[in-house]
Amino acid sequence: MLNPSNIIPSTKSVVIFGSVSSVGRAIAHEFAKQNYSIILCDINQDENERIAKDIQIRYKVFCDTTFFDAEDFDRHHEFISEITKKVCGYPEGIVICFGYMPPQEEAQKNFALVKKTVNINYLGVVSVLEKFLEKFEERNHGFIIAISSVAGDRGRKSNYIYGSSKGALTRYLEGLQHRFARSNIRVLIVKPGFMDTSMTYGMNLPKRLIASPEEAGRIIFKSWQKNKQVVYVKWFWRYIMLIIQHLPRFIFLRTQL
Ligand SMILES: NC(=O)c1ccc[n+]([C@@H]2O[C@H](COP(=O)([O-])OP(=O)(O)OC[C@H]3O[C@@H](n4cnc5c(N)ncnc54)[C@H](OP(=O)(O)O)[C@@H]3O)[C@@H](O)[C@H]2O)c1
């Protein structure tokens, strides 16, 4: 048990999946500053515990961890009851930050990588969220922040395995926004553009297009506070993707995107 016994959960709580990712960590800090109780869920439990200790010390909030494997669908029910015990009920909100991007050319030749990509980026998210949403709907309150990607906005040869899994995720989240349009449940879709994280490590990306995870965390948190429905972390990505999406097919097919 990580939490010092003198810190009890506050009434506001958030569960962050993929909390070891740099952006998940940055978002956790933003919620901790607002005195939220936090449950950090990740496949890397050692690092997760280090992050939780750091948050407890810095912000004096309740912060606990749970091991979570997005691909282990059969354990998700059990896992949700573990979380509800920790925060004494269902949390106010869920943040989804886990993800997996295989090298495109390898994935084209190896179906196991395609399956892993879809399992983590799409099925893992749906499996977890639907289990919370039933309760959110019943009490008519809650929020979801989920990180999708601009890669899902149009299929491109350089990244279409990852892109199609994120495209499916975006469609799913749009469906949730429609489902909850008349309720008090909010869904924020995040399309970060490039972020400087382990996922993009070693890629030769133009510096001006990249956001740091801390900057991304701040922008995502502010967008959630402002009740936005979609956020492109660096604002210009909205326009870059608008152009890419609307390029006529005969031009698009000649590009090297
Ligand atoms: N970086 C970018 O430019 C960019 C752009 C658009 C969208 N995104 C999205 O942003 C989110 C955060 O990614 P990131 O850039 O911060 O990269 P990252 O550090 O690689 O984060 C991905 C996280 O997902 C976790 N994860 C992988 N497989 C998992 C599984 N089976 N179950 C549970 N967790 C698992 C990873 O844990 P391990 O490290 O232990 O494997 C890691 O903590 C992802 O959804 C990504 O698709 C990133």
Side-chain angles (χ1 to χ4, degrees):
M1 186 69 180
L2 259 172
N3 252 304
S5 51
N6 57 344
I7 303 182
I8 51 163
S10 85
T11 48
K12 304 183 294 184
S13 59
V14 62
V15 180
I16 301 184
F17 291 89
S19 44
V20 173
S21 69
S22 335
V23 66
R25 201 179 301 210
I27 294 173
H29 280 255
E30 296 300 326
F31 275 101
K33 284 178 202 164
Q34 300 302 320
N35 200 31
Y36 268 77
S37 293
I38 301 169
I39 304 288
L40 303 176
C41 312
D42 201 276
I43 200 163
N44 180 346
Q45 184 63 357
D46 289 345
E47 185 57 19
N48 211 19
E49 289 194 3
R50 273 192 283 277
I51 295 170
K53 278 204 184 104
D54 178 54
I55 288 178
Q56 286 169 11
I57 292 166
R58 275 176 205 263
Y59 307 105
K60 312 276 178 288
V61 294
F62 177 96
C63 187
D64 208 340
T65 65
T66 300
F67 172 83
F68 168 74
D69 180 353
E71 286 193 275
D72 194 358
F73 307 122
D74 291 342
R75 268 216 67 222
H76 287 176
H77 249 304
E78 190 185 318
F79 164 80
I80 306 264
S81 49
E82 234 175 89
I83 288 179
T84 53
K85 272 186 207 134
K86 284 181 199 267
V87 288
C88 312
Y90 275 75
E92 184 185 333
I94 311 291
V95 183
I96 303 280
C97 296
F98 58 86
Y100 172 69
M101 184 170 71
Q104 170 65 28
E105 285 188 16
E106 273 181 49
Q108 284 167 210
K109 296 177 201 125
N110 182 351
F111 184 69
L113 292 183
V114 179
K115 208 169 151 193
K116 180 172 174 178
T117 309
V118 175
N119 276 349
I120 295 176
N121 293 345
Y122 179 65
L123 294 176
V125 181
V126 176
S127 165
V128 159
L129 285 186
E130 290 297 333
K131 291 178 180 63
F132 283 104
L133 287 172
E134 211 175 299
K135 188 69 185 178
F136 284 13
E137 203 164 27
E138 196 182 302
R139 70 179 189 201
N140 190 25
H141 179 61
F143 68 84
I144 289 156
I145 300 173
I147 305 197
S148 189
S149 174
V150 298
D153 284 358
R154 189 166 190 178
R156 289 174 291 113
K157 65 179 176 184
S158 58
N159 205 10
Y160 64 83
I161 301 287
Y162 171 78
S164 56
S165 69
K166 289 293 194 177
L169 175 63
T170 300
R171 292 291 94 81
Y172 168 74
L173 295 167
E174 287 168 353
L176 291 186
Q177 288 179 332
H178 196 188
R179 172 176 162 193
F180 298 123
R182 288 165 187 269
S183 77
N184 202 19
I185 299 161
R186 292 149 53 196
V187 179
L188 172 62
I189 303 173
V190 183
K191 300 185 183 181
F194 297 135
M195 293 187 294
D196 186 13
T197 67
S198 57
M199 196 173 271
T200 51
Y201 180 76
M203 291 183 184
N204 194 13
L205 303 170
K207 278 214 165 79
R208 266 179 300 174
L209 298 185
I210 303 176
S212 73
E214 293 73 25
E215 184 184 10
R218 278 193 302 275
I219 292 172
I220 293 166
F221 189 77
K222 279 208 176 108
S223 304
W224 168 73
Q225 285 181 312
K226 287 181 185 164
N227 249 332
K228 288 196 177 170
Q229 296 192 321
V230 179
V231 58
Y232 288 78
V233 165
K234 291 250 187 204
W235 61 269
F236 46 75
W237 277 104
R238 182 184 293 275
Y239 301 99
I240 294 175
M241 293 319 296
L242 202 65
I243 294 167
I244 292 177
Q245 276 177 301
H246 289 92
L247 271 183
R249 202 171 295 263
F250 76 94
I251 298 176
F252 179 74
L253 295 181
R254 289 178 191 181
T255 66
Q256 293 305 316
L257 293 167

